[in-house]
Amino acid sequence: MDPNSIRDLIKSTTKPLLIRNLLNWEILQWDLHRWKEILGTQPLQFRQGIYTHTDWPQFENSTKTVQLSFDEFLTFVQETPNKWLYFDYKYLKDWFRNVNELRKHISWDKFGFPERGVEDSTFWLGSKGAHTPMHIDTYGCNIVAQIYGRYHKPIKCINQLASKQLMLSDPTSFVIILTMHVTNRCSSGIF
């Protein structure tokens, strides 16, 4: 499928889409050692929650934040199995403006958005159990590129919003995701 057809499909959909094997970004091949080299010792702000059932959603304002480097994050994941962390949807232009090795590999042209790039992209890093309460983003669509790890998003539940917490992400160890927002209206997004 050519990029313009993919763009048209994205802009006209009313349901989640899953597009596999479209990207050939070098960062898809990076191992943990390479990610440590690239992200270095820069402190990242993580939300921290508990990895257990709660009777209340663990909203941003009810969880604490911690500052950790990527390497410290990996250590935390190994040594603290009862807590989760996530560095949520931070713009690369704000958090990684000097990490050229990361920035040079991101392009959304294969999805039909050659005008979009690093400046429009966000970064999400989470450990096992990291989640947000069920919600729909109302600002348009998201194109999500899973870079590392395993991510679980219950697509069949996207349109069944409830007033209770639903785990949207449950990676086995941790996951890295890049997102690009499309401003045209879609009812649920691109996954």
Side-chain angles (χ1 to χ4, degrees):
M1 194 176 242
D2 70 274
N4 289 329
S5 297
I6 294 172
R7 180 184 184 116
D8 292 344
L9 181 62
I10 289 169
K11 292 173 89 174
S12 65
T13 191
T14 59
K15 299 189 185 243
L17 299 173
L18 181 61
I19 303 171
R20 295 179 189 264
N21 304 316
L22 185 64
L23 297 175
N24 59 356
W25 295 347
E26 182 183 311
I27 60 177
L28 294 171
Q29 307 305 315
W30 290 357
D31 61 12
L32 289 180
H33 179 72
R34 184 72 175 135
W35 278 105
K36 284 191 235 180
E37 285 178 357
I38 297 302
L39 298 180
T41 60
Q42 176 179 344
L44 305 173
Q45 183 177 359
F46 290 90
R47 271 190 59 219
Q48 179 181 309
I50 54 174
Y51 188 58
T52 187
H53 172 77
T54 60
D55 292 330
W56 65 95
Q58 295 182 55
F59 288 117
E60 287 84 352
N61 63 358
S62 65
T63 55
K64 72 180 205 172
T65 59
V66 295
Q67 299 277 330
L68 301 170
S69 69
F70 183 73
D71 196 35
E72 291 168 329
F73 164 78
L74 294 176
T75 300
F76 182 95
V77 168
Q78 294 295 318
E79 296 177 356
T80 318
N82 62 334
K83 294 184 180 175
W84 52 260
L85 296 171
Y86 81 65
F87 177 78
D88 62 330
Y89 298 104
K90 307 287 193 225
Y91 277 95
L92 277 90
K93 66 182 178 186
D94 298 331
W95 283 85
F96 302 107
R97 83 173 49 99
N98 296 321
V99 185
N100 293 327
E101 189 63 24
L102 174 62
R103 298 168 59 86
K104 75 180 183 182
H105 295 292
I106 299 166
S107 166
W108 299 99
D109 59 340
K110 290 194 175 192
F111 289 96
F113 295 92
E115 73 282 5
R116 301 295 181 112
V118 170
E119 300 302 311
D120 306 295
S121 300
T122 59
F123 187 90
W124 192 97
L125 170 64
S127 67
K128 181 177 181 179
H131 63 278
T132 59
M134 183 66 153
H135 68 282
I136 290 180
D137 296 327
T138 59
Y139 49 77
C141 299
N142 292 325
I143 299 176
V144 176
Q146 181 157 333
I147 304 300
Y148 190 96
R150 192 176 87 191
Y151 182 74
H152 171 70
K153 186 176 276 275
I155 291 175
K156 67 183 179 181
C157 298
I158 292 295
N159 291 321
Q160 299 172 356
L161 291 178
S163 61
K164 61 183 180 181
Q165 177 178 347
L166 180 65
M167 292 180 97
L168 292 183
S169 173
D170 189 12
T172 54
S173 178
F174 73 94
V175 65
I176 298 172
I177 295 173
L178 291 175
T179 305
M180 189 271 291
H181 306 289
V182 180
T183 56
N184 291 46
R185 181 168 158 62
C186 294
S187 65
S188 54
I190 310 302
F191 305 101

